[in-house]
């Protein structure tokens, strides 16, 4: 079976894949008529990420099948690299897929313009397809245990990415007092939102989590056992487990 893609928008597709590459070199996408999305997580399940985009902003196609198509590439960067070879104003393709049980899985994606054609083979479904169920998404991103919220601007996130390298400690902490919300390490302490004036105990997170977060602005929710980041710039959500001190 095949799905004829009459238009591919390389910019939005590249941006989506870049977000997923912060989690893994492999990319797992779910394609529906309305949305193209990925629910990914690290093997340790300390970090989970949802990336979603309206399908019409990434692909246009003749007729979508009656079920979602699961698309996976072991090397997401290869997809980005291939897109650079094409005339972006005349980019289209064909998605070949097959049925396994009750689900559709992509076999290969053929991308073409008026002079060039490239075939990208998808990962074998027998090797697994990483995605979260609705129950897992609710567990990872539920806000039942929310304590307080604060804003994290793209500017402050970029600054924090540099500040955390000042410490050898693998953890950093977040707390709030009458001056605002602080992010602190052993050698630095920065106020990132001065609109929150209630005091809250510190929570600890691993510095390595920063590499999973896209440089965007976020509404952050501090929960009892996790930190939730909802992007204000895109339909991206990130969940980070709090570090538990022994």
């Amino acid at each position: 079976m095949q799905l004829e893609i009459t238009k591919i928008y390389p910019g939005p597709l590249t941006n989506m894949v870049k977000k997923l590459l912060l989690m893994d070199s492999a990319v797992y996408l779910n394609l529906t008529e309305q949305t193209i999305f990925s629910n990914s997580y690290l093997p340790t399940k300390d970090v989970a990420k949802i990336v979603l985009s309206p399908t019409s902003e990434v692909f246009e196609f003749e007729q979508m099948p009656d079920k979602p198509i699961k698309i996976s590439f072991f090397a997401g960067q290869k997809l980005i690299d291939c897109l650079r070879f094409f005339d972006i104003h005349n980019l289209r393709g064909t998605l070949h897929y097959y049925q396994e049980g009750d689900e559709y899985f992509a076999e290969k994606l053929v991308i073409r313009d008026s002079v060039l054609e490239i075939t990208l083979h998808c990962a074998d479904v027998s090797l697994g397809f990483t995605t979260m169920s609705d129950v897992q998404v609710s567990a990872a991103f539920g806000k039942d245990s929310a304590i307080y919220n604060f804003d994290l601007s793209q500017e402050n996130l970029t600054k924090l990415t540099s500040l955390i390298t000042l410490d050898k400690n693998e953890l950093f902490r977040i707390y709030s007092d009458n001056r605002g919300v602080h992010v602190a390490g052993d050698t630095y302490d920065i106020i990132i939102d001065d609109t929150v004036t209630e005091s809250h105990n510190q929570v600890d997170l691993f510095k390595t989590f920063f590499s999973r977060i896209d440089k965007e602005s976020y509404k952050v929710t501090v929960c009892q056992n996790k930190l939730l980041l909802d992007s204000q710039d895109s339909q991206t959500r990130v969940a980070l487990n709090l570090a538990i001190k022994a």
Side-chain angles (χ1 to χ4, degrees):
M1 295 181 284
Q2 61 188 50
L3 174 65
E4 292 300 328
I5 304 171
T6 56
K7 180 70 175 178
I8 299 174
Y9 296 95
L13 179 57
T14 296
N15 290 339
M16 188 171 202
V17 173
K18 282 183 176 179
K19 288 175 177 289
L20 298 175
L21 289 176
L22 295 179
M23 296 289 286
D24 194 347
S25 59
V27 169
Y28 303 92
L29 299 169
N30 298 270
L31 175 65
T32 73
E33 188 170 6
Q34 289 76 33
T35 59
I36 179 169
F37 66 93
S38 178
N39 302 330
S40 58
Y41 55 88
L42 297 184
T44 56
K45 298 186 179 179
D46 289 332
V47 182
K49 177 184 277 190
I50 295 175
V51 180
L52 183 148
S53 176
T55 301
S56 60
E57 294 182 4
V58 181
F59 297 126
E60 293 180 8
F61 39 75
E62 293 181 351
Q63 184 175 1
M64 183 69 190
D66 58 343
K67 298 177 184 177
I69 302 176
K70 296 182 182 296
I71 309 169
S72 57
F73 299 101
F74 269 139
Q77 185 61 47
K78 185 177 181 181
L79 172 58
I80 293 175
D81 293 340
C82 287
L83 290 172
R84 297 186 179 125
F85 291 113
F86 292 98
D87 172 10
I88 62 173
H89 303 293
N90 189 29
L91 194 56
R92 58 194 187 280
T94 304
L95 183 65
H96 297 260
Y97 64 98
Y98 60 94
Q99 185 168 357
E100 182 83 13
D102 294 329
E103 298 181 301
Y104 290 150
F105 293 91
E107 178 185 4
K108 61 183 178 181
L109 174 63
V110 181
I111 306 173
R112 64 179 69 89
D113 59 17
S114 58
V115 297
L116 175 64
E117 180 175 293
I118 295 178
T119 299
L120 293 171
H121 290 275
C122 298
D124 189 338
V125 64
S126 65
L127 300 177
F129 185 91
T130 302
T131 191
M132 289 186 287
S133 66
D134 291 342
V135 172
Q136 290 173 317
V137 169
S138 296
F141 292 91
K143 297 182 179 180
D144 293 343
S145 61
I147 301 171
Y148 68 102
N149 302 295
F150 65 88
D151 291 321
L152 176 60
S153 68
Q154 180 179 355
E155 179 183 1
N156 277 331
L157 178 57
T158 300
K159 189 180 296 185
L160 285 170
T161 303
S162 298
L163 284 173
I164 62 173
T165 64
L166 297 175
D167 288 349
K168 293 182 179 179
N169 194 329
E170 65 178 0
L171 299 175
F172 69 95
R173 59 188 180 274
I174 299 174
Y175 69 95
S176 68
D177 57 21
N178 60 358
R179 298 172 60 205
V181 177
H182 299 244
V183 175
D186 295 336
T187 58
Y188 65 90
D189 189 315
I190 181 174
I191 297 172
I192 56 173
D193 186 351
D194 60 7
T195 64
V196 178
T197 56
E198 295 180 353
S199 294
H200 295 283
N201 293 334
Q202 77 174 46
V203 295
D204 299 296
L205 293 101
F206 289 100
K207 293 194 303 185
T208 54
F209 289 171
F210 261 91
S211 64
R212 314 295 181 180
I213 304 174
D214 307 278
K215 296 300 187 295
E216 299 180 352
S217 296
Y218 294 89
K219 175 69 71 173
V220 182
T221 303
V222 180
C223 300
Q224 291 179 358
N225 62 343
K226 60 192 175 187
L227 201 73
L228 301 177
L229 297 91
D230 291 284
S231 174
Q232 304 301 290
D233 304 318
S234 67
Q235 296 185 69
T236 302
R237 306 179 69 195
V238 183
L240 311 174
N241 281 356
L242 300 182
I244 307 299
K245 289 189 174 182

